[in-house]
Amino acid sequence: MTFDYIVQQLINGISIGSIYALIALGYTMVYGIIKLINFAHGDVFFVGAYTGYFTAKAGLGLILSLIIAMAVCALLGVIIERLAYRPLRNAARIVILITAIGVSFLLENLGIVTLGAQAQGFPDIVNKSTYTLWGDVTIDSIQLIVLVVTVVLMAVLQYVVHRTKIGKAMRAVSFDMEAARLMGINVDTTISATFAIGSALAGAAGVVFAIMYPSVDPLMGVIPGLKAFVAAVLGGIGIIPGALVGGLLLGVVETGVQSIPGMSLWRDGVAFAILILILIFKPTGLFGKNVREKV
Amino acid sequence: MNKRFFIGIAISLVFYGVVQALISGEILNDFYIDTLVMLGVNIILAVSLNLINGFTGQFSIGHAGFMSIGAYVSAIMTTNLGYSFPLGLLCGCLAAAVAGLIIGFPTLRLKGDYLAIATLGFGEIIRIVWLNNDYVGGAAGLNGIERVTNWSWIFFGVLVAVVVIQNIVKSTHGRAMISVRENEIAAEAMGINVTKYKVIAFVVGAFFAGMAGAFSAHYFYGIAPTSYNFMKSFEILVFVVLGGLGSTAGTIIGTILLTLLFTYLQDIPEWRMVIYSMILILTMIFRPKGLLGNVDVTKFFKKGGASKNGGTTTTP
Amino acid sequence: MAAQQQLLKAEKVSRVFGGLKAVSDVNLEINDGELVGLIGPNGAGKTTLFNLLTGVYEPSDGDITFSGTRVNGLKPYQITKRGAARTFQNIRLFGEMTVLENVMVAYNMHAQHNLFSSILRLPTHFKGEADMREKAIEFLKIFNLESKKDEIAKNLPYGEQRRLEIARALAAKPKLLLLDEPAAGMNPQETTDLMNLIRWIRDEFKITILLIEHDMGLVMGVCERIYVLDRGQMIASGTPEQIRTNPKVIEAYLGQEV
Ligand SMILES: Nc1ncnc2c1ncn2[C@@H]1O[C@H](COP(=O)(O)OP(=O)(O)OP(=O)(O)O)[C@@H](O)[C@H]1O
Ligand SMILES: [Mg+2]
């Protein structure tokens, strides 16, 4: 295994990891604010991919496709929260979790009914070209796009969370919902905004994922959704930078395992093995603080 | 208590005899037998998951993993190695129970959502192990498994699962499990060995999930890893939650309703999952304690006499 | 009081949370049959000390000896088995279980019938269960809760929930009973009744009691000996009279409502 080979795998890992990170952000933000593992999040990702598919077919370019997909997903996220989760805000955790599973099933199967279970090829909206960095190390235009999209969205997210009023409200609500309410923060609006932002990121991830693989199908969100969730846990669920690091790390490890001859089929197993090791040895993730129940 | 228990068993044996007679007389056709087997398998799965989730309060969503172990181990025993079905069944159950033990221990430190995702991860790992193993056919799975499961096997399987789990639940051991669910810290302060009871719940739950796996493998001729993904685990969880967590009767009724719904929606396959998920979401929003939440059905049956409690509500 | 046997001893016990020393170098000794109070301002570390004594937390430092054996690092259920039962400041009943079942849980550790005899419904199961039930009902009678035995615990009024929690702890047949603010949230009449009950329990069951209480008057009235904790440190111990006049204690409570 040469140095070049390793660097190449690293590049490949980072680009898939960026997608995990984008999805993981939504999981983490929602968990941070209402302590819900939003299992439907992976399906928002698929809706984003399909939106991109239709806009691309209609002849719109990458940027417009991304923006429209993000808007559609933001709206979808808000609607899901409004209709399915808000009525259950004070219900037992398991009830909301199961509702999330129900929403996930619903989106997937509505997708199958309306769009067909068949995978569709994604139209070419970027010219695929490969650039040689040095020796055998290459990066292609799609990987570059993935990286650029991730970096830009992360920067915007950082700005929103730390510099805007809604971002401050989000942090306050996730710290202590009751206290935030008493301080006059509109909790419902804040939660809606969290869903909108998280879902928009998943929508963007869906579009770039679809460009990378180039195909879309209604169940495409299941596995990346689950992986992204692992990434969120790995970084410490509820912690925004954790989701980024977790996603990148998972992408790199996975690509690494896949590149070992004879191990490629174990790629998905690795994600779950990491998940369990993390949960057992550091359940709050790499960046999480331990919180113990007070007696 | 003693008496009621045996009366329940007697009634369910009558139910068994009647159905068996209907099958022997070819009044019930294959469609009904298929449905009965599906019902039985699902009831065993749901009731056993209920021991872990409903009674002990350990949020597990990896039940399909245990089921797959029962299915694969029993199929390997009968199909690859040529042993008899009863032996295969037993090995399937025991292997699943051992997996329950192995998974139970490390995950005991985890609570709530974290436990849920760890069990989900374990379930997926088990599936990926089958997927990557050529001895068990990889992605294609094992085929040509002889059909051995029939009404008798299923009936007695359900009976054993329900009776064993009810007998645990209605005893000091069951109360200990429920106390763990209600307040783990207080349970431990009252001298309950929390770890022991969590492991027992996992092991017994896994044992019966393995049994369900072995039965279904030996009815549907073949098994493949995809049948045991986390969607399957969710499906089992939904049976339990829809009926009412922590209520055996509720779980059984929820399972029957959903399984029948599924069977009757077969004519519109595209829409059936959509309807299923709508029902799930609406139930959670409007009846978050499950269809039978807050309603103790056993009392219901007691009052009305033993009019129509079939093979399922056998124990008090 | 002649030749008292030592039941519980804490030597230089500390517990750190992050940077905070919630309990530091605490010494404590309790003899058989005593009724001892533990007082101190909010956040003094009283509950944390209870948690250390009952195994909920492990001490960062120091030794705890109960009934002659070192119990550091034992799990709570192991310590309960050795004879220390407790109640909680924030009531922790098994909410969805009935009053009777709540008490019956305490007998699990002495159960004569194992899992298999329950699964197979062997005679030992029926006998064991009947015994437990009978004993639990006896207990509820003592606490005037028998008429409520089939009620769901969480539906009881507050005062009865507190009593049930004490009954449940006592059912574990402890040598040492630890009560964390048993009178919290009670009105003066209920509090007086409770104090009489506590004294009666000590005499009737011949056990030792360590109790945390905020209400100074009450502790002074009922306890024979008092420990005072402030900011994690044991600042005083002695008879109610000694504590009342101890300048350190007065200072610790200064500015607090006493
Ligand atoms: N699990 C924990 N993690 C972190 N800090 C803790 C924990 N438990 C207690 N503390 C801290 O230790 C200190 C002592 O708390 P403790 O509950 O023992 O006080 P207390 O004397 O019982 O007070 P109160 O009269 O209010 O019940 C407090 O500052 C509390 O915040
Ligand atoms: Mg306290």
Side-chain angles (χ1 to χ4, degrees), chain B residues 300-309:
Chain B
F300 198 76
F301 279 121
K302 256 183 260 164
K303 267 195 199 122
S307 51
K308 49 175 217 169
N309 51 343

Side-chain angles (χ1 to χ4, degrees), chain C residues 46-48 89 180-181 212:
Chain C
K46 304 179 295 293
T47 300
T48 306
Q89 183 169 358
D180 195 345
E181 302 201 22
I212 294 179

Side-chain angles (χ1 to χ4, degrees), chain A residues 32-45:
Chain A
I33 208 153
I34 56 170
K35 303 284 173 284
L36 162 71
I37 301 175
N38 181 14
F39 272 109
H41 193 60
D43 304 296
V44 172
F45 164 90

